[in-house]
Amino acid sequence: MTRPNNRPDAVVLGIESSCDETGVGLVGLHADGSVELLADAVASSVEQHARFGGVVPEVASRAHLESMVPMVRKAFADAGLRPSDVDAIAVTAGPGLAGALLVGVSAAKAYAAALDRPLYGVNHLAGHVAVDTLEHGPLPSPSLALLVSGGHTQLLLVEDVASSITELGSTIDDAAGEAYDKVARLLELPYPGGPPIDAAARRGDPTAIAFPRGLTGPKDARHDFSFSGLKTAVARWVEQRQAAGEPVPVDDVAASFQEAVADVLTAKAVRAARDHDVRTMVVSGGVAANSRLGRLAAIRCAEAGIELRIPRPRLCTDNGAMIAALGARLLAAGAPASPPDFGADPALPVETILL
Ligand code: KG4
Ligand code: ZN
């Protein structure tokens, strides 16, 4: 990323450490309110968690400690900027893993104090929505966001990403990405499970097995999700095959599982958009990289007259640019800095965008 000739009015540094990615981003804010990605440095500890089949919090915290300063240096080097060029700093204050969040919050407080700049302690989920402004411009009000990752599965009504987000629904058990990771384990595919299942599914038949679509009955919660029944159904199906001494058709199981996930996510998201008369849908989080989810969302949004926005995969997964993008919106709105004693909040509700 090179420094454009058209200098931004302000530069925002964003720091993310809620899970297993240490992200440091720099975003430029122009006088007309437009934003520009200047740097996006990410170090992932995913390989250190692979043999455990899920993120180990202590391992993640240590990795953040090791990667934080190198990623800050890399972001400034990539953007051709110096720390003194920064006008405001934003950091993920929650939700996420307590120890992991603390590393980012502590680092951000140190940079804010040393540089004497305002610090925003912000919501990670709002960051996943705000990141889309880097790619597709300002978000119309209202917009609907479908957040799908290893940690979250949520439908959000976004009136203003810097000040008003309402949760319409969320998963009552496993997150969508978590279901991918657990099913991958059953099929003896590597962690994280999304990419290998996506690849296997392309070779399989999505209609081979009729897996259940959780919470889609007429009396079920309209905007909530459930994936644990689907995961159990896949486990039972695989066990029965194995007990009968028959080979497991991995590609067909993957394709049928993926179809069930994409069907439920897109049907519920479009329904929520219709219920709230929303014309723009943003899909973000690691699972937004899923090929079938993207295709089905495009088909169903087109049918419903909804504009679909999916940021590029690198921006959908956890990163610092999304936090800087949210910080830029807050700065543009003239939001006050967070109080100096704010802490990390592992259970920060999505409605609390700024501490
Ligand atoms: O947003 P993310 O990087 O981290 C958080 O969980 O916050 O999301 C990671 C999740 C993992 O569960 C991974 O299996 C899933 O996103 N994922 C995918 C794909 N790529 C990553 N799921 C389905 N299809 C994919 N292509
Ligand atoms: Zn995330």
Side-chain angles (χ1 to χ4, degrees):
M1 269 159 270
T2 52
R3 189 91 203 273
N5 294 329
N6 178 11
R7 275 176 78 98
D9 243 36
V11 173
V12 181
L13 169 68
I15 296 179
E16 154 64 33
S17 70
S18 66
C19 192
D20 57 346
E21 266 93 34
T22 314
V24 177
L26 287 163
V27 161
L29 173 65
H30 291 273
D32 63 0
S34 63
V35 285
E36 170 190 7
L37 180 60
L38 302 173
D40 174 25
V42 177
S44 177
S45 60
V46 68
E47 281 166 18
Q48 297 179 47
H49 307 288
R51 68 193 170 100
F52 303 106
V55 176
V56 182
E58 299 307 324
V59 173
S61 302
R62 175 162 291 274
H64 287 307
L65 277 173
E66 285 165 2
S67 299
M68 186 58 69
V69 173
M71 285 307 105
V72 170
R73 292 204 173 122
K74 182 173 191 315
F76 281 111
D78 288 351
L81 293 173
R82 290 165 306 168
S84 58
D85 294 321
V86 166
D87 296 281
I89 302 173
V91 63
T92 302
L97 302 169
L101 289 166
L102 266 177
V103 178
V105 169
S106 308
K109 285 187 176 183
Y111 285 112
L115 297 168
D116 191 21
R117 298 293 192 271
L119 175 60
Y120 300 121
V122 302
N123 193 303
H124 176 85
L125 304 174
H128 271 304
V129 183
V131 76
D132 185 67
T133 61
L134 293 171
E135 199 141 276
H136 300 117
L139 270 178
S141 176
S143 292
L144 183 91
L146 170 64
L147 292 192
V148 274
S149 73
H152 0 274
T153 305
Q154 271 147 327
L155 277 173
L156 307 174
L157 184 64
V158 184
E159 303 273 0
D160 181 338
V161 73
S163 62
S164 175
I165 297 182
T166 313
E167 183 177 288
L168 301 177
S170 69
T171 179
I172 60 166
D173 41 55
D174 293 346
E178 205 178 342
Y180 266 92
D181 297 338
K182 288 176 176 172
V183 167
R185 212 171 175 170
L186 282 171
L187 297 176
E188 291 170 16
L189 296 171
Y191 173 84
I197 290 188
D198 202 347
R202 285 170 210 250
R203 299 183 294 262
D205 174 4
T207 63
I209 311 153
F211 285 130
R213 269 69 168 156
L215 291 190
T216 49
K219 293 198 178 140
D220 289 331
R222 224 172 143 70
H223 302 317
D224 285 337
F225 300 96
S226 168
F227 293 105
S228 83
L230 171 60
K231 170 197 68 191
T232 306
V234 176
R236 293 282 162 279
W237 198 92
V238 170
E239 280 162 17
Q240 278 168 12
R241 273 287 171 132
Q242 287 166 336
E246 290 169 27
V248 176
V250 171
D251 295 349
D252 285 349
V253 175
S256 301
F257 160 77
Q258 175 154 294
E259 192 62 22
V261 175
D263 180 21
V264 172
L265 289 174
T266 53
K268 289 214 162 201
V270 168
R271 180 152 79 174
R274 281 206 172 113
D275 283 358
H276 292 270
D277 210 10
V278 176
R279 303 258 142 247
T280 304
M281 184 192 298
V282 178
V283 186
S284 187
V287 183
N290 186 257
S291 60
R292 181 61 184 149
L293 177 62
R295 273 202 313 279
L296 200 53
I299 293 167
R300 290 185 171 171
C301 282
E303 281 168 5
I306 296 166
E307 179 206 7
L308 175 66
R309 298 179 169 203
I310 307 182
R312 77 189 91 125
R314 187 181 161 95
L315 294 179
C316 278
T317 53
D318 291 350
N319 62 79
M322 68 190 220
I323 303 305
L326 178 56
R329 290 268 67 84
L330 289 163
L331 187 65
S338 297
D341 61 348
F342 80 86
D345 184 350
L348 189 66
V350 66
E351 282 81 12
T352 307
I353 297 167
L354 170 66
L355 285 180

